[in-house]
Amino acid sequence: MNTRKIRENLGRIKSCCMRGEAERALFLAIGALKELGGQTAPTDMRSDFRNALGDLSVIPEIKNAAGKALNYSPGCERDLLQLFSKLYRRLLGQESEEEYQAALQRKLQIDRCFKDGKKFLEEGKPSEADACFAAALKFYKDEHAIFAMMARAMLDAGEPVRALGHVRAGLKALPDDARLLSLAAECAAQRK
């Protein structure tokens, strides 16, 4: 912990707040909190943190984004770091980028599980494929096409009963989906 650096960052916050530099002030506060390394601030620095939070709470962007009064109490440093990091990303407009990255990772996981399931079907292992398809559904949010894709893969592998299970799951999410209804009829035809 570099106490000199922490004090410098906290001291600069007031001048940034006076100039209306919300992003810079938050950046300095985040730097000071990171420098603590998740520890409680030493007793002689607590007044510096209180003053800095008082200065930050005057900036309208921070006050509105925080949605609550910024108060310092010893032991809340990690919570403050999370709050300030979130506010900083929001002020910079990076919040939506982070949501995009999370959605992208989720969709990639669905694709990976589906691909693994198809590989198992090619090897003649429908139980393992079903397990992969179930794993893909753990990442499912609104990718409705996955049900039809899983059912089609099972049908192509000669597993109409398993395919029908995926069709039924898809019809719970989309009751009137023409593709799923067509696959249900195809499953019934193959079972005869």
Side-chain angles (χ1 to χ4, degrees):
M1 171 184 352
N2 186 342
T3 56
R4 184 181 63 79
K5 186 174 181 180
I6 293 171
R7 283 207 162 105
E8 282 179 10
N9 282 359
L10 294 175
R12 291 177 181 160
I13 289 175
K14 182 171 188 149
S15 61
C16 289
C17 292
M18 291 174 65
R19 291 189 304 259
E21 298 174 347
E23 293 91 359
R24 177 79 176 137
L26 273 175
F27 180 78
L28 291 168
I30 290 168
L33 289 166
K34 280 184 179 177
E35 195 62 40
L36 281 175
Q39 300 174 12
T40 302
T43 308
D44 61 332
M45 276 192 216
R46 292 178 184 169
S47 62
D48 295 330
F49 275 99
R50 283 189 188 94
N51 292 337
L53 288 178
D55 293 334
L56 285 169
S57 62
V58 172
I59 296 178
E61 296 99 337
I62 295 175
K63 188 176 183 180
N64 294 337
K68 61 180 181 178
L70 296 174
N71 295 318
Y72 174 76
S73 57
C76 70
E77 289 81 5
R78 286 185 183 179
D79 296 335
L80 280 174
L81 179 59
Q82 288 178 343
L83 174 68
F84 288 163
S85 296
K86 185 178 177 183
L87 292 175
Y88 186 70
R89 285 191 306 272
R90 188 181 304 162
L91 286 176
L92 292 179
Q94 293 177 344
E95 198 171 65
S96 60
E97 175 67 23
E98 194 170 285
E99 291 170 5
Y100 169 78
Q101 289 298 327
L104 179 64
Q105 289 304 314
R106 187 176 52 75
K107 290 177 188 240
L108 287 173
Q109 288 287 41
I110 291 172
D111 289 346
R112 184 187 54 77
C113 292
F114 178 71
K115 184 177 164 186
D116 290 347
K118 283 187 72 166
K119 184 179 177 207
F120 280 124
L121 284 175
E122 290 170 4
E123 296 171 0
K125 299 176 182 175
S127 296
E128 288 86 346
D130 236 0
C132 287
F133 290 166
L137 291 178
K138 290 178 184 175
F139 301 103
Y140 167 80
K141 192 171 185 178
D142 59 358
E143 300 81 8
H144 305 302
I146 191 68
F147 295 108
M149 292 167 55
M150 291 186 298
R152 171 54 57 202
M154 285 292 184
L155 274 173
D156 292 347
E159 296 287 334
V161 175
R162 292 177 192 265
L164 189 58
H166 294 295
V167 168
R168 287 182 180 151
L171 287 173
K172 285 181 184 176
L174 292 169
D176 299 326
D177 188 68
R179 186 174 176 196
L180 288 172
L181 292 171
S182 170
L183 284 168
E186 206 173 322
C187 289
Q190 277 194 21
R191 286 181 65 188
K192 290 182 183 180

